[in-house]
């Protein structure tokens, strides 16, 4: 009986882990499966950021009734509780990010151009930072992209709000521009009110990096890989993909952004994972 229980635990651990440990599951970028991941990643950020932000004088929330920049509802907002200093500029951000062992990224050669999290001040009720986790549907139509970029400009350029975009779905359409953007399939973009944005690129098949969330004159670290893995496991994403027969070469979304070698490697990882599950099930 003990061996049977141990085998069952190993099977379900492997099932929850999925075929792509410590990286993004490319099949999970299918809109049907990414939607619940999106919601859970926001919940993870709320849970992990709430206390350290409160200790620094900020409030973080997901307030569906809050209307910002002509009605769009962001994923995450951050407000200041009290005045916390000047707005960060690019070089200040680089130094602050490196000080907390976060990836500062590279400057984009563009002007600072989502459900979202918002960070506000308690005392002044000042909106400080918005975090947007980009969904595949945000990038389907050019008119949607242009509307979003206009929304971002009003927030960042006119209202002085930091805008942080986390894009974990591959697509030839991007919400930010610049030559560096095309190098990476996934990225985070940090938009400042008074400086060029910065891009933190995430190579395909590698662990997501730690980024620095800009506040007022300071930053706080966000570990993106635990955020993704927590959401992936909580939603049983790999189990649903397997159960629904979605792990097929034809169902792989955005295949044009992967080389033939990367597609073969991804499919081989799925095949190995399925084989290991079968061994645990029948062993």
């Amino acid at each position: 009986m003990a061996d049977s229980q141990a085998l069952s635990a190993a099977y379900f651990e492997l099932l929850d882990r999925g075929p792509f440990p410590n990286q993004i599951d490319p099949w999970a970028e299918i809109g049907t499966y990414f939607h619940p991941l999106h919601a859970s990643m926001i919940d993870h950020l709320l849970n992990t950021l709430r206390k350290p932000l409160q200790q620094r004088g900020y409030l973080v929330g997901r307030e569906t009734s809050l209307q910002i920049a002509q009605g769009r509802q962001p994923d995450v907002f951050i407000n200041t509780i009290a005045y916390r200093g000047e707005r960060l500029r690019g070089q200040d951000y680089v130094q602050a990010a490196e000080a907390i062992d976060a990836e500062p990224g590279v400057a984009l050669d563009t002007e600072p151009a989502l459900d979202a999290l918002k960070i506000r001040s308690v005392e002044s009720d000042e909106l400080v930072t918005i975090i947007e986790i980009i969904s595949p549907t945000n990038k389907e139509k050019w008119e949607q992209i242009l509307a979003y970029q206009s929304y971002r400009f009003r927030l960042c350029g006119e209202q002085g709000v930091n805008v942080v975009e986390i894009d974990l779905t591959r697509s030839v359409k991007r919400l930010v521009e610049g030559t560096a953007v095309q190098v990476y399939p996934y990225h985070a973009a940090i938009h400042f009110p008074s400086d060029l944005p910065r891009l933190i690129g995430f190579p395909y098949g590698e662990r997501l990096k730690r980024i620095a969330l800009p506040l007022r004159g300071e930053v706080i670290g966000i570990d993106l890989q635990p955020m993704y893995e927590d959401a992936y496991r909580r939603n049983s994403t790999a189990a649903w993909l397997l159960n629904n027969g979605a792990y097929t070469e034809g169902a792989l979304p955005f295949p044009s952004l992967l080389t033939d070698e990367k597609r073969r490697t991804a499919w081989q990882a799925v095949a190995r994972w399925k084989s290991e599950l079968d061994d645990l099930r029948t062993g």
Side-chain angles (χ1 to χ4, degrees):
M1 180 64 69
D3 291 342
S4 175
Q5 290 176 340
L7 182 62
S8 178
Y11 173 83
F12 287 110
E13 170 59 27
L14 182 62
L15 183 65
D16 285 344
R17 190 203 72 185
F20 302 95
N22 296 315
Q23 59 178 284
I24 291 177
D25 183 335
W27 275 269
E29 297 173 50
I30 299 171
T32 303
Y33 301 98
F34 191 83
H35 181 70
L37 283 177
H38 181 275
S40 293
M41 285 190 285
I42 293 170
D43 288 340
H44 178 92
L45 289 178
L46 284 171
N47 290 334
T48 57
L49 292 175
R50 180 183 61 83
K51 185 172 291 185
L53 281 171
Q54 280 185 340
Q55 293 170 346
R56 289 169 170 80
Y58 301 90
L59 283 181
V60 59
R62 182 182 184 181
E63 186 176 328
T64 57
S65 63
L66 183 65
Q67 300 298 305
I68 295 179
Q70 298 183 6
R72 185 178 174 86
Q73 298 172 354
D75 291 331
V76 182
F77 70 89
I78 301 174
N79 276 35
T80 59
I81 295 175
Y83 179 72
R84 302 295 298 180
E86 298 298 327
R87 292 184 174 89
L88 285 168
R89 294 183 62 84
Q91 191 57 40
D92 300 326
Y93 176 79
V94 171
Q95 295 172 353
E98 291 174 345
I100 62 168
D101 197 28
E103 174 60 52
V106 297
L108 285 172
D109 51 356
T110 59
E111 293 297 324
L114 319 161
D115 293 312
L117 291 184
K118 317 172 198 93
I119 303 175
R120 282 185 175 271
S121 160
V122 171
E123 183 173 300
S124 65
D125 197 36
E126 178 192 11
L127 182 61
V128 174
T129 302
I130 281 179
I131 306 172
E132 296 274 7
I133 298 179
I134 306 302
S135 295
T137 53
N138 294 132
K139 302 181 288 185
E140 286 180 351
K141 299 178 180 179
W142 284 113
E143 55 265 34
Q144 293 174 316
I145 294 175
L146 293 173
Y148 172 81
Q149 290 172 333
S150 176
Y151 151 82
R152 183 177 63 205
F153 176 77
R154 291 192 299 273
L155 277 173
C156 194
E158 297 177 0
Q159 299 181 26
V161 178
N162 299 308
V163 178
V164 178
E165 297 164 358
I166 302 170
D167 191 344
L168 304 182
T169 62
R170 292 166 293 117
S171 173
V172 294
K173 296 177 181 177
R174 304 297 179 92
L175 300 181
V176 291
E177 299 176 355
T179 54
V181 179
Q182 305 306 319
V183 177
Y184 299 101
Y186 316 109
H187 67 262
I190 314 294
H191 299 267
F192 306 99
S194 57
D195 212 341
L196 292 175
R198 297 194 69 83
L199 182 87
I200 299 102
F202 310 131
Y204 176 80
E206 295 187 12
R207 185 179 178 86
L208 296 174
K209 298 174 183 176
R210 173 179 168 87
I211 68 171
L213 177 68
L215 301 168
R216 283 290 181 262
E218 59 185 327
V219 298
I220 186 173
I222 300 180
D223 293 307
L224 295 183
Q225 189 63 38
M227 174 197 74
Y228 180 83
E229 290 180 1
D230 177 62
Y232 187 84
R233 285 174 175 266
R234 191 184 307 180
N235 287 282
S236 301
T237 304
W240 278 110
L241 284 160
L242 181 65
N243 183 73
N244 294 341
Y247 276 126
T248 66
E249 289 187 87
L252 182 63
F254 316 118
S256 62
L257 289 180
L258 294 180
T259 64
D260 289 342
E261 181 181 357
K262 287 178 179 177
R263 293 183 67 187
R264 282 194 300 271
T265 300
W267 181 240
Q268 290 167 359
V270 171
R272 284 195 302 271
W273 177 69
K274 288 181 177 179
S275 177
E276 292 172 5
L277 286 173
D278 288 341
D279 291 342
L280 288 172
R281 188 186 298 112
T282 59

